Amino acid sequence: MFEQLTWQRGGPDQQPLLPSLKQATMVPLRLLVILLALAVSDLHSLPWFVNVSESKGPGTVLQAFTFNCSFYMPTLELLSVQPPTTFFNTPSLAGRDGIYVGKVTLSSSARLDALAVNHYELQLKYTCGNFVMQGPLFLDVHRDPGHIQCVGRFVSPAGEIIQVPETVSPGALLYTLLFPGLEVQGAQMNITSAQDPPYFPGPFSINEKGLLRVPSQGLRGQAQKVFQLQISVTFGQGQSCKGTLMVKVLPGPSSQVSFLKKTQNIIIPENLVPGSEVIQVQATGFDLRYEISSPVPSLLYSIGRADGVVRTTAALELSGTSDAGGTRLRVKAFEQLRPWASAELDLTVNVRPVNRWPPHCSPALLVTEVPEATPVGTVLSTFMCTDPDSADTNLHYQLRFHSPSKPASLCLYDRVLEVNTTLDCDTPGACFQLAASVLVHDSGQPQMTTEVPVLVMVTPVNEFSPACAPRTFWVREDAQPYTLLGSVVGTDMDYPRNSIEYYTSGGPTVFAVDRLSGEVLLLGPLDYEQQKLYRLTVLLIDHGQDWDPTHRRSSSCTITIEVEDVNDHAPECEPPFQELTISTPLGHDVEVTKVSCQIPQEPQRLVLSYSIVGGNSQSRFRLQGAILVHNDPVLGPPWPQQPCTYELLIRVADAGSSISHLSTTATIIVHLLPWRASTIATSTHRAIVPSMMTPLLVTDTEVFWQPEPWFVVVLTVTSALLLLALGWLLSKLLQGLAQVLQAPRKPGQALLLNSIQRKERSMEGFMETPRMEMSQAPSSILNLEHFDGKAQGARTGRDYLFNTCMGTQRWL
């Protein structure tokens, strides 16, 4: 919107000049435009030119501006600064009631220096609602004589470097240290660093005007030495700064410049990047400089003017540049102050071809899957490789394995990768990834190699069907549901081994097979009488042995289940009750009777067990199978003098393998008559229970219990102690009773003795009576006798009556 007004300044010691004539003529016009803009926008007191001293620091307000904006929130922006710098903050704007004041200030990084930059142009933009005005603010920085700054390389970390020949005169002026403003107010300068011999030939000196002089001893013999001088400058009121001067002593000028060799040949590789060092040439002389005098210009090489280092300036492509193979350079060395003192060197640079690029292969990466049943010799891939450096280079291929477990699984014939051996996944750890690399070498120098990674993943194939052997299981017919009968053991040669699921294919529903373990379980009740044999077809299906989860193999086998018979019914005896009378001679065992029992519901079960469980006092009877036998009285207990009756309980049980035996009890009452020598006939009387008497059939299921040994010992000891206590108590009671009955006992004993004697005489008379018919006995005796049994003579076959207590008999 406004034309910028540019001020011109002279050197550092000159005052600002007046605007040029053209600019001066434009000032009235520019001011008129500004006044019109101010009148329209109520913008007052906006100066466009500001003079500031270089001594102003951060935070200084350069100028304040007054703005009128009644109905909007105005803004003031700093758009740009020329020359670019960060010395100025963003303008601030504050106010109220439509009157705002804007300020332009110096930032915290502001360091104004009139000698460096004495003019800045700030582009400002003012906005009030829809009204926008943009214009420059010119800032002139003027010198401040009282403001002195330490500037230049002297105060830099590296310091100022001074080169001086060793032939310089003692006390000669080396250097003048100048600061702006020092000539006005003066300063004090001192060398603060140590200058001790023998390194220093003598002290350097500097005065208040900044004049540095050579030591009075001179610098001869100090060639190639560098003297570091720390100088402190003090000026004004407490103001100071420090800096460093480096004095480098150079050898004295020689009378002749020369190279050790007039010609030199070198060979460099073509893969040097631009800027790489080729060679450093050196000539003898003083303060020499180097240049390439031929060819001019040099397109491929350059030389360092001071150090003589020859470097490449472009890529040395032998195929693209015909002159890159061999280049002849003429290098000239001359003294800087006397260019006519010079010498030349013929330098020939030969470029040797370099094998820079490795072979390029297709494919660059091989990842493939092959099934384990892949035939030997199957081609997996053919590698196509080329050498970018030379199309005629012979390439060499090498196969290197990274998986040592199967190094011979693959082979490489020239460029063809093939399957070398059978890929078997049916052993643990065999089916996995085969990692290898194909190394492709070229024949260049240096030899370059390309590595093509190869990853062959061998996938499993379900090759074998599962198998199992037929088996036979036995189960008791009283087995409970979910009883484990056994396991179907299936095998599968594929890996992972024996990954099989088991199923039943039809067959009886009373059995089931566990899907994972193959265990055969009983689900329902069994009945041996209805079905003794079951055949169960088990279907075996493998899984997880092929990369395709739907590819599964199956087989079947037959399981035979035999039901073991378990007695379901108790035996029944016929008759269940017997009553017998026997009289046995001494020295003989007599068969008393045979117990006839069977299980009507299971006629095939013929084996029964018999045992006497009650009434066999003094062990006078025993069982031989189902036959009840009276033991020989000679070997057994003494023969009873009186007839005795034994009520024997015979337990009859099935003899199967069942743990719980079903049994019944038959009752046999045996009347045993004492044996007499005069007895003519011995009879056995068998009494059948009358029909009016209903025998009680007891069916008993005996469960055997085998206690722990410690329990038997404790029970035995406790029982013994209890019996001892009862015996002692009983003896005490009998002793007391005997004392009470001692007096009246004697008459009773006499009567009892007489009665016994009468019975003995009567028994003896009965035994001595000759054999005759019982009907011929006196009627008085027959009337007195009572017969309670009837039997049949063993020899005559005649029936007779007998008294079991008196032993009397009467033939019928």
Side-chain angles (χ1 to χ4, degrees), residues 44-53 56-57 59-67 76 88-94 100-106 112 122 124 136-140:
H44 304 291
S45 303
L46 179 59
W48 295 99
F49 304 94
V50 177
N51 293 324
V52 61
S53 173
K56 298 297 182 181
T60 301
V61 178
L62 301 178
Q63 189 62 45
F65 307 95
T66 303
F67 302 96
L76 182 61
F88 304 99
N89 291 321
T90 301
S92 62
L93 186 63
Y100 296 88
V101 177
K103 296 180 181 180
V104 178
T105 59
L106 293 176
L112 299 179
L122 284 69
L124 300 177
L137 171 62
F138 300 99
L139 180 66
D140 290 329

Side-chain angles (χ1 to χ4, degrees), residues 402-446:
H402 303 299
S403 52
S405 59
K406 284 289 183 180
S409 300
L410 306 176
C411 63
L412 185 67
Y413 294 104
D414 192 13
R415 298 178 293 111
V416 180
L417 183 64
E418 298 179 357
V419 176
N420 190 39
T421 59
T422 302
L423 304 176
D424 186 11
C425 288
D426 297 326
T427 57
C431 198
F432 56 94
Q433 297 177 349
L434 299 176
S437 296
V438 176
L439 303 180
V440 184
H441 310 279
D442 60 14
S443 56
Q445 291 296 330

Side-chain angles (χ1 to χ4, degrees), residues 570-632:
E572 296 180 6
C573 297
E574 182 63 30
F577 178 84
Q578 298 183 50
E579 186 174 2
L580 306 172
T581 301
I582 65 171
S583 177
T584 61
L586 295 176
H588 297 280
D589 292 340
V590 178
E591 294 183 3
V592 179
T593 186
K594 181 178 181 180
V595 182
S596 178
C597 301
Q598 64 177 356
I599 302 175
Q601 296 85 353
E602 298 181 12
Q604 77 282 357
R605 189 178 296 277
L606 303 176
V607 181
L608 300 176
S609 62
Y610 302 85
S611 60
I612 301 175
V613 297
N616 189 17
S617 62
Q618 298 180 348
S619 301
R620 291 189 177 273
F621 300 89
R622 60 186 172 87
L623 286 170
Q624 292 181 350
I627 300 175
L628 179 64
V629 179
H630 179 265
N631 292 328
D632 182 8

Side-chain angles (χ1 to χ4, degrees), residues 70 148 188 252 257 266 273 287 309 442 444 563 577 609 615 621 765 787 794:
S70 303
I148 300 176
Q188 265 190 338
V257 179
I266 61 172
V273 298
D287 195 12
V309 176
D442 60 14
V563 181
F577 178 84
S609 62
F621 300 89
F787 300 98

